[in-house]
Amino acid sequence: MRDRRVSQREREAAASRLKPRLVDGSLSTDTFGARVESAFAARTKQELKALFADLPGIRGWLSRVSASPPVSYAELRLPDTTRRVELTVGRAGDCDYVLDEPTVSRHHAVLRRTPEGWELRDTGSTNGTRVNGWRIDEAALRSGDELALGVSRFIVRA
């Protein structure tokens, strides 16, 4: 069954629903601009829904659209002990955790060992870092947390 075409009004509504996500920091300016352009180019509700798939707390007309395919998560295992206090994550070959994914910045984030466990700090990446759906600058990581770097998704295992 084909998804019905969306109206210009529905495209405008989707674009206007993105603005609060820019204001609350869930979207960067560049990502916001790209998603607004995609909203106006969308032909189906599924395409509009995809614009909000990684944003927490979206409700309303969007939830009535058929569900998108389940997201696949890899495991990110944090070492129990390490002599190093900081580990880098990114696309560059000199990172401790290398992710060969174009949406991951060359030096995307830093994992830092603290007395309480591990903390993650975004290093100003283009596409952001999310923990449990929330865009973060810095956050404590716990086993079972969902981590997203660009479009790469992980379940944290400590």
Side-chain angles (χ1 to χ4, degrees):
M1 178 179 208
R2 286 183 62 197
D3 201 6
R4 76 167 182 79
R5 290 180 62 95
V6 293
S7 67
Q8 185 64 21
R9 189 169 153 185
E10 288 171 308
R11 289 183 191 104
E12 290 169 1
S16 71
R17 285 185 171 90
L18 288 168
K19 187 172 182 180
R21 302 323 212 143
L22 171 66
V23 173
D24 73 10
S26 297
L27 294 175
S28 70
T29 305
D30 291 340
T31 302
F32 170 75
R35 288 191 188 191
V36 168
E37 285 180 26
S38 295
F40 285 107
R43 294 181 176 202
T44 66
K45 279 195 174 186
Q46 198 63 26
E47 289 174 8
L48 289 178
K49 183 179 181 185
L51 300 173
F52 297 90
D54 63 337
L55 299 173
I58 299 295
R59 296 185 196 350
W61 65 272
L62 215 47
S63 63
R64 293 190 296 270
V65 179
S66 61
S68 57
V71 176
S72 170
Y73 292 92
E75 257 188 19
L76 174 66
R77 289 213 173 263
L78 299 174
D80 286 338
T81 59
T82 182
R83 293 177 190 245
R84 298 194 48 202
V85 177
E86 290 190 350
L87 301 169
T88 56
V89 182
R91 203 176 64 238
D94 64 340
C95 290
D96 298 299
Y97 289 102
V98 177
L99 302 173
D100 187 22
E101 167 61 48
T103 60
V104 173
S105 296
R106 285 180 292 124
H107 295 98
H108 198 100
V110 173
L111 287 160
R112 185 175 57 236
R113 183 84 161 146
T114 68
E116 294 81 32
W118 288 93
E119 288 183 350
L120 178 71
R121 180 177 45 86
D122 184 273
T123 57
S125 64
T126 302
N127 292 310
T129 301
R130 296 181 185 280
V131 175
N132 297 324
W134 294 98
R135 188 167 182 152
I136 58 101
D137 291 323
E138 190 168 307
L141 291 180
R142 292 173 189 78
S143 191
D145 282 346
E146 294 177 9
L147 172 61
L149 303 159
V151 297
S152 298
R153 300 185 189 283
F154 302 91
I155 296 292
V156 176
R157 297 290 180 228

